[in-house]
Amino acid sequence: MITECYRSVARQEELYAQGRTKPGAIVTYKRGGESKHNWLPCPALDVAFLLPNGEMSWSGLLLSKFARLMKAADARVHWGGDWPGFKDRPHFEV
């Protein structure tokens, strides 16, 4: 499932605050306006898997397998799991 594609600058700032000034784990190192999620048209999307029991999964194993399929289908696909340092496995850019 696509969990997020375009996001507003305000939404990006909310995510940036997570793990810094708000509870939770850090999920982004991009401030509002710096992320490709803030562009229109939006070249970035985040994905997760809907399991048979109805739960959402962000399994690194499933995401890495999906990334291999996506990159094999189109060499222009970039996967956040390939980035040095911070790994953003649900993130894909086209």
Side-chain angles (χ1 to χ4, degrees):
M1 296 187 82
I2 295 174
T3 59
E4 198 155 22
C5 197
Y6 172 78
R7 66 174 73 119
S8 69
V9 170
R11 169 80 174 131
Q12 186 69 34
E13 283 295 321
E14 287 176 21
L15 290 174
Y16 184 81
Q18 186 175 317
R20 293 176 177 87
T21 59
K22 292 184 177 180
I26 290 176
V27 293
T28 186
Y29 284 89
K30 301 287 186 173
R31 303 229 35 171
E34 296 176 346
S35 171
K36 290 187 180 177
H37 283 285
N38 304 141
W39 297 8
L40 282 175
C42 185
L45 58 109
D46 293 340
V47 302
F49 296 90
L50 183 60
L51 301 178
N53 65 3
E55 292 181 17
M56 296 292 287
S57 172
W58 289 268
S59 159
L61 178 61
L62 290 176
L63 287 164
S64 67
K65 288 180 178 187
F66 183 67
R68 270 186 287 170
L69 291 171
M70 292 287 288
K71 293 187 294 182
D74 192 325
R76 296 171 295 177
V77 172
H78 298 280
W79 179 45
D82 289 333
W83 295 345
F86 177 70
K87 304 292 185 196
D88 189 356
R89 288 178 179 85
H91 182 91
F92 291 84
E93 295 176 4
V94 290

